[in-house]
Amino acid sequence: MPVKPSINDIAALAKRRGFIFNSSDIYGGYGGIYDYGPYGVELVNNLKKAWWYYMVQIRPDIVGLDSSIFMSPEIWKASGHVDGFSDPLAECKECHTRIRVDHILEDLGVFADEKMSSEEINKLFQENIGKIKCPHCKKCNFTEARKFNLLVKSNLGNFSDNWTETPAYLRGETCQGIYVNYLNVMQSSRVKVPFGIAQIGKAFRNEISPRQFIFRTREFEQMEMQYFTHPDNELEEYEKLRKYRWNFFTKFLGFSEKNIRWHQHENLVFYAKEAYDIEYNFPFGFKELEGVHARGNYDLTQHQKGSGKKLDYLDPITKEHYVPHIIESSIGVGRLVLATLTEAYTTIKDDDGERFVLKLHPLIAPIKVAVFPLLKNKPQLVEKAEELYGRLSKKFMCEYDDNGNIGKRYRRQDEIGTPFCITVDFQSLEDNTVTLRERDTTKQTRILIDEIIHTINMEKWS
Ligand code: ATP
């Protein structure tokens, strides 16, 4: 029976093997921000490539975009973020731990609507206070609950002292950059409704209680696709998108269906037509991995009002004018990394004790092939192994390792999820064959060097 890893198991492996570090580590860390190390950046890039392939490359109806992090502050006013993008918070007076009041209430089965004022949230909080304990010191002595805006402010372009009153914001979500480029894209790329615009990029939120490792961070990356539809087709397209996104996890990335599920929003914001999240079974239980939402025409009409520019669509055949409705798919890269590591983390107990294997999809694995000379003090083996590394590394991310015995080298590669290890030994010098060892079966086969690329066959997405 595979044992489910704890979040600490994953964080420890991620640090030990160079996937994820605390930001500013040597200065004691920096709350809610993380850095991706040598294997982490490969994993992230591969996940982003997989998403882009699936959402843009093989979709004739979806195009890409890379909009800026800074945008006109008016955008955040029109989108409702300046006035409404806030989380309710209370602080423990004993140990100063801050808690998300809406999350704590939700755990108690009490729903706090996003649109509630600070006073209304605080009233709900006070009504339930008897059941609430500080997650850290377990005491019940809190400040009042108050709402805090999540947008991160900056002084960009403002050289006066009052920049906090008229700040430029770091974007709180990537999709606003898509909405405000809808006209540009439509006029320049011959797309016709229904069509989508996809983008991957950083977002920043002043999260009150960043937690659970990379699950909730203050700086993160989002992969978002906004799909523009005729109002009458919104829900039909929405169902198609839900199916497509479900298949991304189960068929494309190979996640187990046991570990993901749909969660329907019970209380929709007034403009939304339908909203589901895909939840993943993280080490701390099922939580939101991705949102798939039908948003009506709210976003474009808000920007139409805010900018004074007409954002409607003229159907070239029917000549009908309308503001397209939008369905969206939005996922955080960090959450996908965490889900991928959780899914892949496998503990194996055998005669040598306990060991870990990251059973990553080969196309997602940071390193595809590790090349070892059997012995590092035999120049002929080293020369041949180095030459092989030189050949393979032009095709895939490879690693060369001549340190320690072969068993130890296999283990190290298992922990970073490398699907194939190749050992150059004395027989290789005679007949140009090597041993190819597979991570998941630990099976070793002898193959010709010239057949390696064909045998591991990793040049296309499966
Ligand atoms: P949550 O309820 O968990 O705060 P949300 O509903 O506010 O998330 P959205 O605004 O819909 O999230 O953002 C879309 C996606 O972006 C989420 O499904 C998640 O994967 C990711 N995301 C949002 N906030 C964060 C964060 N602080 N850290 C990491 N990823 C995030």
Side-chain angles (χ1 to χ4, degrees), residues 373-424:
L374 182 64
L375 298 169
K376 69 172 165 189
N377 56 1
K378 294 283 174 227
Q380 285 164 300
L381 294 183
V382 169
E383 192 186 327
K384 193 150 188 96
E386 281 178 353
E387 186 198 306
L388 182 57
Y389 171 83
R391 260 171 81 180
L392 294 178
S393 61
K394 292 194 182 78
K395 289 257 172 205
F396 322 106
M397 278 307 295
C398 295
E399 196 163 89
Y400 182 86
D401 188 4
D402 59 8
N403 217 346
N405 66 40
I406 294 284
K408 219 165 121 196
R409 289 184 240 172
Y410 283 153
R411 246 173 220 218
R412 198 171 159 274
Q413 297 301 328
D414 284 348
E415 287 200 12
I416 61 168
T418 307
F420 300 105
C421 294
I422 291 173
T423 306
V424 174

Side-chain angles (χ1 to χ4, degrees), residues 184-225:
N184 284 336
V185 171
M186 208 167 57
Q187 287 166 352
S188 60
S189 50
R190 304 182 64 233
V191 285
K192 288 195 188 72
V193 168
F195 72 93
I197 305 178
Q199 126 156 285
I200 301 179
K202 291 256 175 165
F204 303 83
R205 294 184 187 177
N206 218 352
E207 294 282 357
I208 284 152
S209 45
R211 60 193 171 141
Q212 285 144 341
F213 192 36
I214 53 170
F215 180 80
R216 184 177 304 285
T217 55
R218 292 187 171 131
E219 175 178 337
F220 56 100
E221 254 182 317
Q222 287 186 312
M223 303 193 281
E224 299 204 283
M225 195 282 294

Side-chain angles (χ1 to χ4, degrees), residues 85 87 100 103 114 150 172-173 205 207 214-224 265 277-278 288-291 293 328 330-336:
F85 190 47
D87 282 340
R100 273 282 293 272
H103 289 164
E114 283 178 10
L150 295 180
E173 57 184 22
R205 294 184 187 177
E207 294 282 357
I214 53 170
F215 180 80
R216 184 177 304 285
T217 55
R218 292 187 171 131
E219 175 178 337
F220 56 100
E221 254 182 317
Q222 287 186 312
M223 303 193 281
E224 299 204 283
H265 288 210
D277 294 333
I278 294 178
E288 175 176 339
L289 170 61
E290 152 160 353
H293 306 146
E328 71 169 2
S330 171
I331 180 168
V333 174
R335 286 196 195 175
L336 184 56

Side-chain angles (χ1 to χ4, degrees), residues 263-279:
H263 168 77
Q264 187 177 17
H265 288 210
E266 282 147 25
N267 294 282
L268 292 178
V269 280
F270 68 94
Y271 51 79
K273 292 283 160 17
E274 190 58 280
Y276 279 83
D277 294 333
I278 294 178
E279 294 188 333

Side-chain angles (χ1 to χ4, degrees), residues 14 16 32 49 87 93 100 111-112 126 141 146 149 193-194 220 257 288 301 330 338 380 387 391 434 440 447 462:
R16 188 171 74 247
K49 246 189 272 165
D87 282 340
K93 288 187 190 164
R100 273 282 293 272
F111 179 75
Q126 299 305 332
N141 184 12
R146 257 186 64 201
N149 194 285
V193 168
F220 56 100
E257 296 226 4
E288 175 176 339
T301 48
S330 171
L338 187 56
Q380 285 164 300
E387 186 198 306
R391 260 171 81 180
V434 285
D440 295 345
I447 60 167
S462 57

Side-chain angles (χ1 to χ4, degrees), residues 85-131:
F85 190 47
S86 53
D87 282 340
L89 162 85
E91 189 171 306
C92 170
K93 288 187 190 164
E94 307 284 337
C95 70
H96 304 291
T97 296
R98 280 168 288 179
I99 58 165
R100 273 282 293 272
V101 171
D102 54 336
H103 289 164
I104 298 268
L105 289 173
E106 199 180 302
D107 291 345
L108 296 173
V110 179
F111 179 75
D113 194 297
E114 283 178 10
K115 292 197 294 297
M116 281 179 172
S117 65
S118 277
E119 290 72 34
E120 287 166 320
I121 294 264
N122 188 46
K123 189 160 169 278
L124 266 189
F125 182 53
Q126 299 305 332
E127 282 166 9
N128 290 280
I129 198 96
K131 294 179 269 173

